[in-house]
Amino acid sequence: MIDRGATRSAVGREETGAGRWLGLALALLALVLVLAVVRTRPLEPKPQDVPLTEFSAVRAREVLRTLLIDGSPHPTGSAMNARVRERILTHLRWMGLTPEVEEGFACSDLGNCARVFNVVARLEGTQPGKAVVLMAHYDSVPAGPGVADDMAGVAAILETARALKAGPPPRSPVILLLTDGEEAGLLGVRAFAEQSPRMEQVGAVVNLEARGSSGPSLLFETSGADGWMIPRYAGGAERPLSSSVFATIYDRLPNDTDLTVFKSRGVPGLNFAFIRNPLHYHTPEDNLENLSSASLQHHGDNALAAVRGLSGADLASPPPGRAVFFDLLGFFVVRWPAGWTLLLAGLALVAVIAAVVLAHRRGVFAGASLGGGLLAFLLGVVLAAVAAFALQTLLRGAFPAVWAANPLPAKVAFWLLPLAAVLAAAAWLSRARSAGLWAGVWLAWGVVGLLLAILAPGVSYLFLVPALVAGVAGLALLGSPSGRALASFLPALAGGLLWFPILLALYDGLGLGGLFVTGVLVGLFATTLAPLVALADRAWRRWAPVAIAALAVVFAVVAMSTAPFSPQAPRPLPLQYHFDADTGLARWIAFAGGRPLPEPLRRAVPFAQEPVRPFPWSAPQARALAASAPALALSAPELTVLESSVEAGKRRVRLRLASPRGAHVGFVLIPAGAKLESIRMQGKKMPLRGAGQGGQWRTYNHLSLPPEGGELEVVLGETAPLDWYVGDRTYGLPPVGQALQEARPASATTIQLGDTTTVTRKVRI
């Protein structure tokens, strides 16, 4: 039987003895957040006169400037791509290296094929054997010059190689691999893995990437047995920012980099990238002016530390096993073998259970209070998720794309509102007393940590480390109100040190969806404060959630009233000139992403008000705005049947794809009714799925179409003739589109393929 009068009296004593702890916890966690913001900044760029054995962003930036020529895009197969490649070769020769160009033909999983030209150079080690590959790609998307993605990686590699040559030679050889065709589907690295004799020399890989123009260089992905690589990299890095959480999340995203090809072959590797200012990604804004020198410095420091560390290992027989790892605010990296995770999670849960049992036996809390603690955890997480969902719904207008020009007010709102929701839930359940709330919350954390140790070991440390701290503190401190406050405060502080750097990166990685996840996770983390709410006085319990929620609303209103795009962070708005060679009609097409077209564009060209499905082969949900355009005398692409035969109910056709107008990109669209069973381009087998469009068409692209054309060989399950489409594409609009491009406001820009001129026709095959 519970004496409610005694319970009220005890609560009053808790208020008097420990009410200050909630305010102290919130203040110190705010300081931890500020420290996390500061410590997750990239390194300050080092000047040109630092020792030659060190990486200098100033030196690397000068190298980058010479490689960019005039800052034009240089996609695979273009003349500018060849000029950039020659600049790279010239610089490598100037460094005293003997670079080679490895030529190959490769196809991606999405149906892109091209002839690619990888640049390879070698630094000899003191011992022969397996080599460390230091890799970046030098091609860009057609829309922009690709300075951050990934010429910054190329410049970082060249400066890293210079620093390696200036110091003692590494134990293992180092291969510099600058790939072509990454943006088209990892084509260069596919060609290297499938065709290069150097592939068998590869012992480990360090890859440099970017998906933005600033921010810290994060170790966001590992491949193979990474347990031995983490300490070798972290031991030499000035600010190692890394987490197995990033690697776990990235493994579940539909994203690829050049490391993907090595990863699929089980080769150990480390992948670094900076990802802030994502609206610059794959646009003309990915230029030298927007590239952060601090990010370049951090990139190079990581590359140099990783190569020096890995090259000192025995790459022929590296130790097996993966690791769980995380940095502590960039000061150092904590790691343990992944196989230990379940044991550590079990120990954390056992410690919490032991603390709960001991406290219950000592009469610190009644058994019913444990249910209140579990309810506080569950209700807090649910309310946080509801608050985050409501914010996400409210802010969709301020985030018409995945990212916005000024996300800070929204970020703050997504931290504050879920926090207020959890504090309100804890205040409502404060009758369970601090010990009951402590018991329920930390039992829940321990159980979640154990489940994650089984399902996602790389993420589990976020729960098991705070739970372990809570269990140890609880065993010693739960007997008094101040002890309970300290037993709540210490694991919350440990959690903040681990959680805040991860939460700060989610928006840059995932956009608006990342803010929703941030809100839910902030709420989950905030449940650690529930016991401190019970210790606070009634005024704190009543008004703290209200004040925090009101502040969140203020920031949400600011976010909604802030322009979502700006000239520094423009919206994606590519344009296309499309000529239908069958009808002789031409159109302007604006891919506005479902958003209203800027008024200057409507004044320049009378676009239709309602969006339409742009092409017969477009996905059913695809929409764009169209307007009539002048019909130009553009030669139609050709798809000529060279051979055709039918055998055993299968039709084999050999075709030639050509562009009489000289476009170096050609494509064919094969209807589903053709029952495609195999396809080869230039003799190279391609994936059957291609780039399926709504299930009705498969697109196959030749991105380096020679003047004489390229050959395709297909095997079809349907022998009757069918209508296919053939097209070719050049980058940029024709001269008649100049006024349209000039009418596009500074707050909008092209992206990915850029503005294009496309000619298509229907062919009977």
Side-chain angles (χ1 to χ4, degrees), residues 58-68 91 94 154-155 158-159:
V58 174
R59 289 192 291 247
R61 197 175 183 98
E62 284 306 307
V63 172
L64 179 57
R65 195 184 306 275
T66 64
L67 298 180
L68 292 173
H91 190 84
W94 173 82
V154 173
L158 297 177
E159 169 66 5

Side-chain angles (χ1 to χ4, degrees), residues 5 54 56 150 166 220 247 304 306 364 414 422 425 557 591 607 651 710 724:
E54 296 182 26
S56 163
D150 191 23
F220 72 97
L304 190 56
V364 175
F414 272 94
V422 173
V557 170
F591 297 93
F607 281 94
R651 186 182 180 197
W724 295 18

Side-chain angles (χ1 to χ4, degrees), residues 579-590:
F579 179 67
D580 186 334
D582 292 322
T583 64
L585 300 177
R587 299 177 297 164
W588 299 117
I589 303 175

Side-chain angles (χ1 to χ4, degrees), residues 45 71 84 93 133-134 188 266 295-296 307 309 319 358 469 531 535 546 600 638 686 705 710 727 732:
V84 169
R93 295 184 186 113
V133 169
L134 180 55
S295 299
L296 182 58
V307 171
L358 182 62
V469 173
L535 289 167
V546 173
E638 297 175 350
M686 302 178 70
L705 193 65

Side-chain angles (χ1 to χ4, degrees), residues 190-494:
R190 290 179 192 274
F192 179 87
E194 296 168 2
Q195 302 163 29
S196 174
R198 292 181 172 88
M199 180 61 190
E200 62 183 24
Q201 303 170 16
V202 178
V205 179
V206 177
N207 187 52
L208 302 182
E209 260 290 358
R211 204 190 65 181
S213 59
S214 67
S217 176
L218 302 171
L219 172 57
F220 72 97
E221 183 186 19
T222 64
S223 69
D226 59 14
W228 66 276
M229 294 188 292
I230 302 303
R232 287 188 166 273
Y233 148 66
E238 184 173 341
R239 187 174 296 176
L241 299 179
S242 60
S243 171
S244 50
V245 170
F246 297 143
T248 301
I249 293 174
Y250 193 81
D251 283 345
R252 288 159 172 76
L253 294 177
N255 297 10
D256 294 312
T257 69
D258 276 344
L259 185 64
T260 303
V261 173
F262 289 103
K263 191 173 186 177
S264 66
R265 288 163 169 78
V267 178
L270 303 175
N271 212 353
F272 298 91
F274 48 89
I275 61 173
R276 288 184 186 163
N277 295 115
L279 283 175
H280 294 163
Y281 177 62
H282 284 183
T283 75
E285 300 305 310
D286 184 9
N287 55 40
L288 189 60
E289 290 72 24
N290 287 329
L291 175 68
S292 164
S293 292
S295 299
L296 182 58
Q297 178 65 49
H298 203 180
H299 230 23
D301 182 78
N302 281 336
L304 190 56
V307 171
R308 282 178 172 158
L310 300 188
S311 64
D314 180 7
L315 299 179
S317 54
R322 296 184 65 82
V324 172
F325 58 94
F326 55 91
D327 71 274
L328 196 62
L329 297 181
F331 289 107
F332 56 87
V333 172
V334 179
R335 65 176 180 91
W336 60 74
W340 292 11
T341 306
L342 188 58
L343 174 62
L344 291 172
L347 287 174
L349 182 57
V350 168
V352 172
I353 292 173
V356 170
V357 171
L358 182 62
H360 180 64
R361 286 181 176 177
R362 291 177 175 176
V364 175
F365 71 95
S369 298
L370 175 61
L374 291 171
L375 182 58
F377 175 83
L378 294 172
L379 182 61
V381 173
V382 169
L383 289 178
V386 170
F389 179 77
L391 266 180
Q392 186 184 45
T393 303
L394 189 67
L395 294 178
R396 285 196 184 278
F399 283 76
V402 178
W403 292 280
N406 181 21
L408 182 59
K411 288 181 180 181
V412 175
F414 272 94
W415 279 71
L416 292 178
L417 194 60
L419 172 62
V422 173
L423 295 183
W428 183 60
L429 292 164
S430 60
R431 286 185 177 275
R433 302 182 63 194
S434 61
L437 291 175
W438 188 98
V441 165
W442 287 109
L443 278 174
W445 272 67
V447 170
V448 173
L450 187 65
L451 291 174
L452 287 175
I454 298 170
L455 302 174
V459 179
S460 62
Y461 77 83
L462 293 175
F463 291 86
L464 73 85
V465 171
L468 188 58
V469 173
V472 173
L475 284 169
L477 300 170
L478 282 182
S480 67
S482 294
R484 289 193 287 279
L486 193 57
S488 301
F489 172 76
L490 290 177
L493 185 61

